[in-house]
Amino acid sequence: MEDSFYDGSAYDPETVKFYDLAHEGAQVRLLAGLVDSGALRQVEGLAPRSVVVISGSQVYRNCVRVVGALREPMRQPLVLAETMPGYLGALDVLIVLTDDGGDEEALRALITATQRGATTVLVGPPDGPLIDEAPTDTVVVPTLPTVSGSSPARAVASISTVVDLFEEDPRIVSERLQHVADSVDEEIEALSPERDELVNDGRALNLAARDHRIVHTGRTPVGRAIAALVASLWTRAGMISGYLDFPELLAALPTLRGPANELFHDPFLDENSGLLPFKAVVWAEEEPGIPDALAQHCEMLGRGSLAATLRLIVRGHSATVFTSKDEGDF
């Protein structure tokens, strides 16, 4: 029993899994401190030809798409790539997103880009050879040392902050990040494992998804980007789900719903197709607008688009934490 406090078995599994997620607001607040310290001065006032973001992670690539959706139309192209484009040079900004402290490709990209005169930013792990050997000119965005795993809030906020600093006063950017961090913390408090599904949107999402085939979607660019990101977070955590653009989902509804979604379908008497019932999750909407669906919405009034978006992402991510009391993991 004494060892159980060291191997984690003495703690509630949901609380343990919620730990990293509970620090998403703090990750954004840490970024605000970076702006205040002047560590991002290299990107302040730049007018780059393009902003290139490199990542080998599907989750982080979807984070880049969230930023693009939030900010379109942009003054400069936001280019998502897995390897560094050949044109990248002194007129460009390179941002590398990775959780791998030994990511050799990321290190080579940073070194090559720096040699070409590009401004480079690393949103990486707390330690490892990548951090130790990154070029001295590279801006390294800090992370919390006790947190492991991906931080979508940190990734989205980091890219947004770099782009904001091209045109905005750093004090305004920092104040906005503090507000965003506070708003994310409010959402995290509402998602606490101690709260049941009646007052916990993340737990309610988890329960709604059980024993269903799930497809995430959205009607707006931001809603679609959030949907794709949450789908990748769910599937990576074992909650198998997919993503479709809303028009494609509408066209596929008859096939997706099938007999299991019919009102009077009896799984014991009717022919069994072997398929679980279908359900859609429509992101950034007050009403789903289609049958067999639920909507996820966050009021933007007084919050701002970045804060509202990160709250929805954290909510979607939290659904992977919760477990059924009688079934164990999802």
Side-chain angles (χ1 to χ4, degrees):
M1 287 295 294
E2 292 180 359
D3 291 337
S4 63
F5 288 96
Y6 295 95
D7 63 19
S9 60
Y11 299 97
D12 176 69
E14 290 186 348
T15 301
V16 173
K17 292 170 69 176
F18 195 74
Y19 180 82
D20 283 355
L21 188 67
H23 288 83
E24 287 291 71
Q27 295 278 28
V28 177
R29 195 168 287 107
L30 194 64
L31 189 60
L34 190 70
V35 175
D36 287 336
S37 71
L40 285 170
R41 193 168 289 115
Q42 287 174 254
V43 302
E44 294 176 12
L46 286 181
R49 172 176 56 184
S50 69
V51 179
V52 178
V53 185
I54 292 179
S55 183
S57 160
Q58 181 176 344
V59 166
Y60 283 156
R61 290 196 296 272
N62 283 330
C63 287
V64 179
R65 295 184 179 104
V66 168
V67 177
L70 279 170
R71 307 190 68 90
E72 61 180 24
M74 292 183 62
R75 290 181 180 271
Q76 60 283 120
L78 180 63
V79 180
L80 174 60
E82 292 190 40
T83 57
M84 191 176 70
Y87 74 82
L88 189 137
L91 299 177
D92 306 293
V93 172
L94 173 69
I95 302 174
V96 172
L97 292 174
T98 181
D99 291 322
D100 182 3
D103 192 331
E104 295 182 0
E105 289 188 11
L107 180 59
R108 282 196 294 270
L110 289 170
I111 293 172
T112 302
T114 300
Q115 291 172 341
R116 294 182 184 179
T119 301
T120 56
V121 179
L122 171 59
V123 185
D127 51 36
L130 177 60
I131 301 297
D132 298 337
E133 299 174 23
T136 56
D137 290 342
T138 295
V139 176
V140 179
V141 175
T143 185
L144 299 173
T146 57
V147 174
S148 61
S150 302
S151 171
R154 176 174 174 250
V156 172
S158 294
I159 301 169
S160 294
T161 298
V162 169
V163 175
D164 284 340
L165 288 172
F166 294 158
E167 300 179 14
E168 292 190 78
D169 187 306
R171 289 172 297 179
I172 295 175
V173 175
S174 175
E175 289 175 4
R176 183 187 302 121
L177 288 169
Q178 292 285 359
H179 167 76
V180 170
D182 291 343
S183 187
V184 170
D185 282 342
E186 289 177 10
E187 183 75 23
I188 289 169
E189 183 177 357
L191 297 168
S192 169
E194 297 176 358
R195 299 165 67 92
D196 65 28
E197 64 273 14
L198 297 178
V199 291
N200 186 330
D201 290 334
R203 190 181 293 280
L205 258 178
N206 178 282
L207 291 175
R210 288 182 178 276
D211 299 320
H212 282 81
R213 292 170 292 126
I214 301 295
V215 173
H216 298 271
T217 190
R219 293 197 191 94
T220 64
V222 173
R224 290 192 292 271
I226 293 172
L229 173 55
V230 174
S232 60
L233 288 167
W234 280 29
T235 301
R236 189 178 66 175
M239 293 174 61
I240 308 303
S241 63
Y243 164 79
L244 277 176
D245 286 346
F246 195 77
E248 293 177 300
L249 178 59
L250 285 177
L253 270 180
T255 302
L256 288 168
R257 297 183 73 214
N261 283 79
E262 293 178 0
L263 181 60
F264 299 105
H265 175 73
D266 188 325
F268 297 102
L269 299 178
D270 299 335
E271 183 177 350
N272 188 358
S273 66
L275 290 177
L276 294 172
F278 159 79
K279 186 174 289 182
V281 184
V282 186
W283 289 92
E285 296 290 342
E286 292 189 68
E287 298 293 336
I290 53 175
D292 304 313
L294 56 117
Q296 292 297 308
H297 175 69
C298 179
E299 180 58 58
M300 288 179 57
L301 184 63
R303 302 188 191 280
S305 57
L306 179 59
T309 297
L310 290 185
R311 287 182 72 128
L312 286 175
I313 292 170
V314 167
R315 186 186 306 170
H317 197 178
S318 76
T320 67
V321 167
F322 302 113
T323 57
S324 170
K325 299 304 180 185
D326 57 352
E327 295 179 29
D329 291 340
F330 188 92

